[in-house]
Amino acid sequence: RHHIYLEPEGLRNKEIYVNGLSSSLPVEVQKMMLRAIPGLDRAVMMRPAYAIEYDAIQPTQLLPSLESRAVASLFVASLFFAGQVNGTSGYEEAAGQGLMAGVNAVLKARGEAPFVLERQEAYIGVMVDDIVQRGVDEPYRLFTARAEYRLQLREDNVFERLGDHALRLGLVSRPDYEREMRKLERRRRVIQALARTRARFAGKSETLFQILKRPEMNLAGLEEMHGQPLLKARTLTDVSYIEACVKYEGYIAIQRREVEKMRKLAATPLPGDFDFFAVEGLSTEVRQKLARARPASLGAAARLPGVTPAAINAISIHLALKHGRRPLKAETD
């Protein structure tokens, strides 16, 4: 069997999108397939499904800024790639790359450092890191499951994550930035107040912070129990931010510790001409994989499929011996 989903195109629209029936077969064959589905024998096809074929580069040829390594090394010029040409699929993926490539092209022209988002900062950072470091063997879609720190990549905290970048790059005005910062500070004050205020719940005294952590409790229920509003004139974003920060506090703390470990690795750059074949203890397969991918840092190397913590430790030791530094250790658990 094969699942399909009938999705209405709108509240006042008679069109239904048949999700799961992707096809590039002839129109008459598609009509036969459609009418063979129970309940759709009298359906009228508005538009047939279709396939798109396009040429693409291998994105491992790109720097994390989406600049071409080859052009940068051969010419006194820069070329940035974004969108389906990088092997991605979908409008959102193309838009995210277009923004990053455009910003970095301007920064390059100004002689400034490139702008690269990290995996824990934004889904764009996850996507660019995935395609540049790992490459693609099929059209890439950015699913939430690809982000190992997705508890931190929420709609309600987008300004907290990216607001400073937006201001620095001129993508948001100073008044808009300050307004959003006031909203963020307001939410933080509420969370602090929850940690200071106590109430009796289920026969014992607890902070409102601890009570809100319970699966059955939400902010509205907490206010009803407390007998007074904790946040006046609130928005859905306010509620979502406060509940997520409280309920997922422990998980978020674990992820932040993991991020800090990876940041130490990522802070160790690998020269563009680094000779992986000179590193003792690496298998031939790992050496070849690293030589093809040319990761910019130990952190990027650690995220490549098949590159083990032992391999990262070997590279770290090699760098330490070469430069007289103490080697960093990758996690093995």
Side-chain angles (χ1 to χ4, degrees), residues 26-303:
V27 175
E28 291 305 316
V29 175
Q30 290 192 40
K31 287 180 180 178
M32 292 170 61
M33 290 169 55
L34 190 65
R35 289 168 182 164
I37 298 170
L40 300 185
D41 54 302
R42 297 172 62 186
V44 176
M45 180 186 289
M46 305 294 290
R47 285 175 297 279
Y50 60 94
I52 298 174
E53 182 177 311
Y54 56 91
D55 292 326
I57 66 167
Q58 182 51 264
T60 52
Q61 301 174 46
L62 304 177
L63 294 168
S65 62
L66 297 182
E67 181 182 3
S68 166
R69 296 176 189 268
V71 173
S73 64
L74 293 176
F75 305 101
V76 187
S78 298
L79 179 62
F80 294 81
F81 287 86
Q84 288 182 317
V85 72
N86 288 344
T88 60
S89 174
Y91 303 110
E92 299 85 0
E93 288 81 0
Q97 292 173 70
L99 174 65
M100 298 303 290
V103 166
N104 279 307
V106 172
L107 293 175
K108 183 82 173 186
R110 291 177 179 173
E112 299 178 23
F115 174 53
V116 177
L117 286 168
E118 298 183 22
R119 296 181 71 89
Q120 75 275 9
E121 287 185 287
Y123 279 106
I124 289 178
V126 174
M127 171 178 62
V128 173
D129 186 66
D130 278 350
I131 65 174
V132 168
Q133 296 297 336
R134 302 177 182 180
V136 297
D137 53 14
E138 61 180 39
Y140 178 95
R141 292 307 304 264
L142 181 53
F143 302 112
T144 55
R146 295 187 188 274
E148 56 270 62
Y149 309 119
R150 55 188 173 276
L151 275 180
Q152 300 178 60
L153 305 183
R154 309 188 309 270
E155 291 181 31
D156 58 61
N157 70 348
V158 63
F159 194 83
E160 184 177 38
R161 292 182 281 113
L162 303 175
D164 289 344
H165 291 313
L167 180 67
R168 177 174 61 85
L169 296 168
L171 300 175
V172 66
S173 67
R174 172 65 67 173
D176 287 343
Y177 174 84
E178 291 175 350
R179 184 182 67 249
E180 292 299 322
M181 284 302 294
R182 288 193 295 270
K183 292 179 183 178
L184 181 58
E185 186 56 36
R186 182 168 169 255
R187 295 166 195 150
R188 289 170 173 169
R189 285 199 300 269
V190 171
I191 294 172
Q192 291 167 1
L194 293 176
R196 294 192 305 265
T197 309
R198 302 188 72 86
R200 291 197 68 79
F201 186 83
K204 62 180 180 178
S205 176
E206 291 184 298
T207 65
L208 297 184
F209 190 98
Q210 290 296 328
I211 295 172
L212 185 55
K213 275 191 170 185
R214 293 172 175 266
E216 70 272 18
M217 184 60 72
N218 57 25
L219 191 62
L222 191 69
E223 288 181 330
E224 185 178 345
M225 183 206 74
H226 187 52
Q228 63 185 61
L230 298 164
L231 184 64
K232 297 178 181 178
R234 60 176 178 261
T235 64
L236 289 175
T237 302
D238 293 328
V239 174
S240 176
Y241 181 90
I242 293 167
E243 290 185 350
C245 287
V246 173
K247 289 182 178 294
Y248 303 133
E249 179 206 25
Y251 300 106
I252 292 172
I254 291 171
Q255 287 193 353
R256 284 177 176 162
R257 288 195 293 270
E258 292 173 355
V259 167
E260 192 54 38
K261 292 173 188 174
M262 286 303 300
R263 184 173 281 125
K264 290 177 181 177
L265 290 175
T268 305
L270 293 174
D273 59 351
F274 186 83
D275 185 6
F276 293 101
F277 290 89
V279 180
E280 295 289 337
L282 296 184
S283 68
T284 301
E285 180 186 3
V286 168
R287 285 190 176 110
Q288 291 173 344
K289 186 170 292 188
L290 289 165
R292 280 196 307 270
R294 307 303 313 174
S297 67
L298 274 180
R303 290 192 295 274

